[in-house]
């Protein structure tokens, strides 16, 4: 590899490591959202039924989201019937005396309660957001036990209604609730997805066996580049689906989530698209670029999303089957590009060795 390209590769690798270092804390932006779950939380109704008052489940059901555009405050009640959240035109406020304020900060609900957590005390409101939307982990909507329910343990291959749940609300003098259901959904068999990913890897990687400089080698390079670009596009689509599932409102919120919580996966997908185009153009050191971009795609788009292959509810908007397809495409094309790129580099290195006299 020419010296300028080696230096460029070192700079690129260093920048990637630095970006990963800074992106890791940002990836925790969505708190402790799960990689997937087999429990499906569904909202069946919101009372009082008023225009502008709505609720939904986000982050694969890990959080309950309440939006209040009615122009008047709505209070979410805590586990002891105390005021917990106040959502309205002035923003979102939490009651520092409510135990739910602290328990709901983590998915496990194991936060140690401070001395001021007293549900019998008068509310002491603290503003936590400017908008009319609140999101929180609510233990009433989740299954928090390590063991599954008895009915699920007896017959895990069938859907089960775990319970109906309600999160009480108060709007002025009117009481109501966000109501929903929690169901067990049998997880998919990951074996067919692994077979598909392995076959894709083998087929794409085998393209690296075509001799470089020949017509077959040129076609193989372009084919791997096109497939890597396809994997990059699938990864970008998966990233957008994950951002949608966080419940971020509007275009501004979506862009903020993409460039904070999802930045590394997004850049990996875009990088694979660029590397695929680079290979299609038969640019210098295309084999090295394919291998590097494929490695990033394999790790940061495939491996980090493997739970989607074995969980019924993946943390991404859209049909779960489509999410699994996107993960498999990213994994197969990334790993295949690594294999093809390394094989082509090895063949080129052998061809460049001087023949002994």
């Amino acid at each position: 590899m020419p010296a300028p390209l080696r230096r460029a590769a070192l700079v690129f690798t260093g920048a990637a490591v630095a970006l990963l270092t800074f992106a890791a804390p940002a990836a925790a932006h969505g708190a402790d959202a799960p990689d997937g779950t087999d429990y499906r939380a569904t909202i069946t109704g919101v009372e009082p039924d008023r225009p502008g008052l709505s609720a939904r489940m986000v982050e694969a059901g890990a959080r309950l989201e309440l939006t209040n555009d009615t122009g008047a405050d709505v209070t979410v009640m805590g586990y002891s019937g105390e005021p917990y959240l106040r959502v309205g035109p002035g923003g979102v406020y939490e009651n520092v005396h409510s135990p739910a304020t602290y328990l709901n900060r983590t998915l496990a609900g194991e936060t140690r309660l401070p001395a001021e957590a007293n549900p019998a005390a008068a509310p002491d409101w603290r503003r936590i957001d400017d908008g009319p939307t609140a999101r929180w982990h609510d233990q009433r909507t989740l299954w928090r036990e390590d063991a599954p329910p008895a009915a699920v343990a007896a017959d895990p291959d069938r859907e089960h209604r775990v319970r109906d749940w309600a999160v009480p609300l108060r709007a002025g003098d009117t009481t109501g609730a966000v109501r929903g259901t929690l169901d067990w959904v049998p997880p998919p068999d990951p074996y067919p997805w692994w077979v598909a990913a392995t076959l894709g890897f083998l087929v794409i990687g085998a393209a690296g066996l075509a001799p470089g400089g020949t017509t077959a080698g040129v076609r193989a390079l372009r084919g791997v580049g096109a497939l890597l670009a396809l994997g990059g596009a699938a990864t970008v689509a998966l990233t957008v689906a994950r951002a949608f599932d966080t419940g971020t409102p509007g275009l501004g919120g979506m862009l903020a989530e993409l460039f904070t919580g999802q930045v590394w996966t997004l850049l990996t997908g875009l990088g694979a698209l660029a590397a695929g185009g680079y290979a299609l153009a038969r640019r210098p050191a295309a084999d090295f670029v394919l291998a590097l971009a494929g490695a990033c795609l394999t790790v940061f788009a495939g491996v980090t999303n493997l739970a989607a292959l074995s969980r019924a509810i993946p943390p991404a908007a859209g049909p779960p089957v489509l999410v699994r397809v996107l993960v498999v495409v990213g994994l197969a094309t990334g790993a295949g590009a690594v294999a093809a790129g390394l094989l082509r580099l090895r063949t080129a290195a052998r061809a460049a060795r001087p023949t002994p006299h």
Side-chain angles (χ1 to χ4, degrees):
M1 184 186 299
L5 282 176
R6 284 202 305 270
R7 288 194 292 269
L10 289 174
V11 171
F12 179 86
T13 304
V17 172
L19 179 59
L20 177 61
T21 301
F22 287 106
H29 171 71
D32 51 346
D35 294 328
T37 179
D38 298 322
Y39 294 92
R40 181 180 60 213
T42 306
I43 292 176
T44 58
V46 181
E47 303 167 1
D49 184 8
R50 295 180 180 177
L53 184 61
S54 61
R56 62 174 177 165
M57 304 304 302
V58 298
E59 294 183 2
R63 289 178 187 269
L64 173 59
E65 176 187 279
L66 180 71
T67 298
N68 178 21
D69 283 319
T70 64
D73 287 338
V74 169
T75 302
V76 181
M77 311 308 291
Y79 302 123
S80 298
E82 80 284 2
Y84 159 45
L85 292 174
R86 193 176 73 202
V87 186
V92 179
Y93 293 78
E94 64 181 7
N95 176 14
V96 299
H97 292 312
S98 170
T101 292
Y102 309 96
L103 295 173
N104 293 351
R105 286 179 178 170
T106 64
L107 187 60
E110 297 173 345
T111 305
R112 185 175 181 178
L113 295 180
E116 60 264 29
N118 179 7
D124 182 5
W125 297 107
R126 175 174 58 193
R127 189 176 185 176
I128 57 174
D129 201 296
D130 298 334
T133 299
R135 301 180 191 89
W136 69 97
H137 300 299
D138 199 298
Q139 298 175 20
R140 292 163 287 203
T141 70
L142 303 169
W143 180 259
R144 297 178 55 248
E145 303 295 331
D146 293 331
V152 173
D155 186 8
D157 297 326
R158 185 174 60 86
E159 283 197 23
H160 294 273
R161 174 63 46 83
V162 176
R163 64 168 174 261
D164 298 321
W165 52 263
V167 176
L169 304 177
R170 189 174 65 204
D173 296 330
T174 304
T175 58
V178 179
R179 300 187 184 278
T181 58
L182 184 67
D183 295 282
W184 160 268
V185 181
D189 182 3
Y191 180 75
W193 299 104
W194 277 109
V195 170
T198 302
L199 289 176
F201 156 69
L202 292 175
V203 170
I204 298 171
L209 297 173
T214 64
T215 301
V218 171
R219 289 176 179 173
L221 176 63
R222 288 177 171 171
V224 175
L227 290 171
L228 181 62
L230 175 64
T235 298
V236 171
L238 178 63
T239 306
V240 173
R242 289 189 66 114
F244 266 113
D245 191 56
T246 63
T248 51
L251 179 60
M254 174 63 63
L255 292 176
E257 174 62 24
L258 286 173
F259 289 103
T260 54
Q262 309 292 333
V263 61
W264 184 242
T265 309
L266 176 64
L267 291 181
T268 298
L270 294 175
L273 279 168
Y278 191 88
L280 284 169
R282 297 176 59 194
R283 305 289 294 176
D287 300 331
F288 171 78
V289 172
L290 282 177
L292 180 60
C296 292
L297 197 66
T298 302
V299 174
F300 299 111
V303 174
T304 57
N305 290 290
L306 285 180
L309 305 183
S310 57
R311 294 295 186 183
I313 314 297
V321 172
L322 177 58
V323 174
R324 295 181 195 114
V325 168
L326 295 177
V327 172
V328 167
V329 169
L331 185 62
T333 57
V338 173
L342 292 178
L343 285 172
R344 290 175 62 88
L345 286 170
R346 184 170 179 267
T347 302
R350 282 183 172 181
R353 290 176 186 170
T355 302
H357 297 287

